[in-house]
Amino acid sequence: MNEALPDVPEVRVVGLPQLTSGFDLVERLDLPMHLKVHGPLEPMGGEKLAQLSERINLKGRGGAGFPFHKKLRSVADAAIKRGVRPVVVVNGSEDEPACRKDTVLINRAPHLILDGALLVAEALGARTLVVAVTRESTQRSMEAALAERGLSNGRRSALKAFVQRNPIRMVTGAAASVIRSIDGGPAIPPGRKVSASQNGVGGAPTLLSNAETFAQLAIGARIGPERYGNTGLYDEPGTVMLTVSGAVARPMVIEVPTGVPLRYVLQLAGAPPVPQGVLTGGYHGKWIDAATVNEAVVSRNSLDAVGGALGAGAILPISQETCPLGESLRVAQWLAEESAGQCGPCYLGLPAAARGLEDIINGGGPAALEALKQVAKNVKRRGACSHPDGSAMFLESTIKAFTDDLAAHVLGNGCGRPVEGVLPLFEGGMAPAGITAGTPEDGGDSRQKIFVDWTLCRGHGLCADILPEVFQLGADGFPTVAQAKVPRYAEAKALRAVRRCPALALRIEEDTRAKEPSRNLPVLSQGRGRRALGR
């Protein structure tokens, strides 16, 4: 079985180091050593910084790959139009079991990340800088780095800077989760999609980007776009940080120039000469087969072209001796457990998808395969964050990449190979935490009942997504119940369903016959609830 990766695994570099400069000298570059290795960095105006980002084609390194210069200009424009100070957030939440590149940078080169973040804060006129992390080691390292620079969250500080520590959860790293936690809420998506560039921390325009992105910006600002472009590919210059694990002899984080053959990276980590498949981009990524590995080079465009993904920078090969569907099932089950429990497609769909893959492995036949395809299709683009989309992409890639094994399980008696557990997961799994809506352990009904007004209901189905404990949709697309008691643990979700019903067709009333006192769930009609929110 593959052991969980340490926070700071072995670090290697191909070619000349940029982000990892000085790693051969010390374990952690404090401020004096950082300045010796990288030198000082002068402030840069906002438009000049945006032009630099555009010239080096800097894109977010957290998975989405959004162009940094567009984000920078969007935040600047919003701040000017509204006349408010923007906020800068470094997202160092790296919560996939197979990802460690940002954790390595925060632990070993925190000042390189702060260089980029402070450049942006100065250019935008920001007065607040937040670094979001989820691990004790990254919290310690970044808090020490802020102290070394004399930065604090004190009332008299010209720039308020602090570290926000959140739980280790797959959904914690979503931009909306990070912003919600900084504002004092739980580190889970808020259930509505809002642009951080327009309305982020405290309602202010917020530039939020991944830790490696800020470090890359600091390198580009120091050496200039010409020298930066001398490394890597013409259209994707610079280096990339990768975490390589799975069926390898030496799990590692490695800095490589773009354009390096993927097979060379795998060889450095001691992967099988002919892997059965390689998962690219992490657990929201895609599988590619052994033949495709020989065609791919390390770049976003190259991996996309061959059906893979750069994503969060995780590369995970598996050997010919293990069952790829069984390995993927372990990940699918973990992804289902990582749901925030707020959206029906995620809360119900991902466990159903994992069970579907398990049915296939256990000989469920073509019907099981079709059922899995349908579930994966149904969960996409219906969640409050990207977790269901990424999980569905992983499942669809699994059944597309391993057609021979799929046929052996669907049409025969299985592939006959064991599941070795080579894809790393957190030890003992991760129990969901921090879900404000409560859990089934809170058992029992409250004094509240929720009602459907059939004269208004138009079958939008949002109630079933938000409150699957109560509402299910019938074949006609309408709820199957007209009234129901609200489980105590689902009180907050019931109120959310009332407030968000597009047809104003839901209401909550207190059951006066109930013996237990109310648990503070407001008794709202749909109309009054909408006015209270200003909608």
Side-chain angles (χ1 to χ4, degrees):
M1 301 289 284
N2 197 306
E3 297 181 359
L5 292 173
D7 279 10
V8 183
E10 176 186 353
V11 179
R12 298 282 298 274
V13 61
V14 174
L16 295 176
Q18 291 189 356
L19 302 179
T20 58
S21 292
F23 281 24
D24 57 333
L25 303 175
V26 291
E27 285 299 308
R28 178 184 180 276
L29 280 74
D30 59 14
L31 185 56
M33 180 58 74
H34 168 75
L35 292 174
K36 287 180 181 178
V37 170
H38 292 285
L41 183 59
E42 295 297 322
M44 189 177 296
E47 182 54 31
K48 187 176 180 181
L49 192 61
Q51 290 174 2
L52 168 70
S53 304
E54 189 170 7
R55 290 185 64 184
I56 66 176
N57 197 19
L58 180 61
K59 295 182 178 179
R61 301 301 177 91
F66 190 79
F68 189 81
H69 70 93
K70 292 184 178 180
K71 185 180 293 187
L72 185 61
R73 289 188 171 109
S74 177
V75 172
D77 290 344
I80 292 171
K81 287 179 181 177
R82 293 173 53 189
V84 297
R85 296 277 189 179
V87 176
V88 176
V89 177
V90 177
N91 191 355
S93 308
E94 193 171 42
D95 303 315
E96 284 195 46
C99 296
R100 290 295 185 277
K101 67 181 183 68
D102 292 322
T103 302
V104 163
L105 285 174
I106 295 173
N107 273 285
R108 300 198 62 180
H111 289 285
L112 195 61
I113 299 166
L114 286 179
D115 278 347
L118 292 171
L119 268 180
V120 173
E122 178 73 17
L124 291 173
R127 293 293 179 263
T128 303
L129 168 63
V130 187
V131 182
V133 300
T134 54
R135 301 173 186 273
E136 183 179 354
S137 64
T138 49
Q139 180 182 7
R140 286 198 309 265
S141 179
M142 192 52 77
E143 286 180 342
L146 292 176
E148 289 163 8
R149 289 181 180 249
L151 296 171
S152 73
N153 196 27
R155 295 181 61 184
R156 297 184 179 180
S157 300
L159 175 68
K160 296 181 183 297
F162 61 94
V163 175
Q164 172 73 25
R165 172 84 179 273
N166 292 324
I168 297 179
R169 293 289 311 282
M170 184 70 169
V171 296
T172 297
S177 300
V178 172
I179 290 171
R180 191 178 185 187
S181 70
I182 295 170
D183 282 339
I188 55 177
R192 62 188 184 281
K193 295 185 178 180
V194 179
S195 169
S197 299
Q198 304 298 316
N199 188 3
V201 175
T206 298
L207 192 146
L208 182 149
S209 201
N210 161 267
E212 184 193 341
T213 312
F214 285 106
Q216 293 282 2
L217 181 65
I219 293 294
R222 274 191 170 87
I223 66 177
E226 289 77 15
R227 282 183 57 194
Y228 192 95
N230 289 336
T231 300
L233 299 171
Y234 173 77
D235 59 341
E236 290 185 55
T239 63
V240 174
M241 294 286 284
L242 302 173
T243 310
V244 188
S245 63
V248 297
R250 299 179 302 279
M252 63 177 61
V253 168
I254 181 168
E255 182 182 14
V256 301
T258 56
V260 168
L262 181 59
R263 64 178 181 274
Y264 180 65
V265 173
L266 294 172
Q267 289 170 4
L268 287 177
V274 184
Q276 182 176 189
V278 177
L279 180 59
T280 59
Y283 294 161
H284 280 175
K286 298 179 180 180
W287 289 99
I288 58 176
D289 58 25
T292 305
V293 169
N294 293 326
E295 303 173 20
V297 301
V298 177
S299 80
R300 188 175 302 277
N301 291 339
S302 172
L303 288 170
D304 286 346
V306 298
L310 181 60
I315 305 295
L316 301 107
I318 59 172
S319 71
Q320 300 283 351
E321 286 72 44
T322 188
C323 173
L325 301 184
E327 297 291 345
S328 297
L329 174 61
R330 295 177 63 249
V331 175
Q333 291 170 335
W334 179 79
L335 290 170
E337 292 170 358
E338 286 298 291
S339 169
Q342 298 188 118
C343 309
C346 185
Y347 177 60
L348 300 177
L350 295 188
R355 291 193 297 270
L357 183 56
E358 187 173 20
D359 288 345
I360 290 173
I361 294 172
N362 292 333
L369 175 58
E370 289 305 313
L372 173 58
K373 290 180 178 179
Q374 188 61 44
V375 170
K377 179 181 178 180
N378 288 344
V379 303
K380 289 190 295 186
R381 294 180 295 279
R382 297 178 65 201
C385 68
S386 62
H387 182 55
D389 294 353
S391 302
M393 183 170 67
F394 167 78
L395 286 162
E396 289 174 336
S397 174
T398 298
I399 59 180
K400 181 179 179 181
F402 303 109
T403 52
D404 291 346
D405 295 87
L406 194 65
H409 284 279
V410 170
L411 303 175
N413 296 319
C415 66
R417 287 173 290 183
V419 178
E420 299 176 340
V422 296
L423 301 180
L425 297 173
F426 291 121
E427 186 176 353
M430 292 296 295
I435 299 174
T436 56
T439 62
E441 285 74 13
D442 293 332
D445 293 327
S446 67
R447 294 181 62 185
Q448 311 299 329
K449 294 185 73 174
I450 191 165
F451 294 81
V452 178
D453 185 337
W454 293 115
T455 66
L456 298 175
C457 181
R458 295 294 179 266
H460 293 94
L462 193 63
C463 57
D465 287 347
I466 296 175
L467 195 61
E469 297 89 342
V470 173
F471 293 113
Q472 293 182 349
L473 301 182
D476 59 359
F478 287 83
T480 56
V481 297
Q483 59 178 282
K485 291 183 178 180
V486 177
R488 182 174 297 170
Y489 71 87
E491 288 177 339
K493 290 201 287 185
L495 183 57
R496 191 180 308 128
V498 168
R499 286 173 168 168
R500 294 183 184 170
C501 175
L504 312 183
L506 298 179
R507 72 180 190 276
I508 290 175
E509 293 182 1
E510 186 170 352
D511 185 355
T512 57
R513 296 170 298 177
K515 296 181 180 180
E516 293 189 33
S518 173
R519 286 172 55 95
N520 301 318
L521 181 63
V523 180
L524 296 175
S525 71
Q526 174 64 68
R528 287 192 292 135
R530 303 279 291 195
R531 286 195 295 273
L533 289 174
R535 297 179 181 175

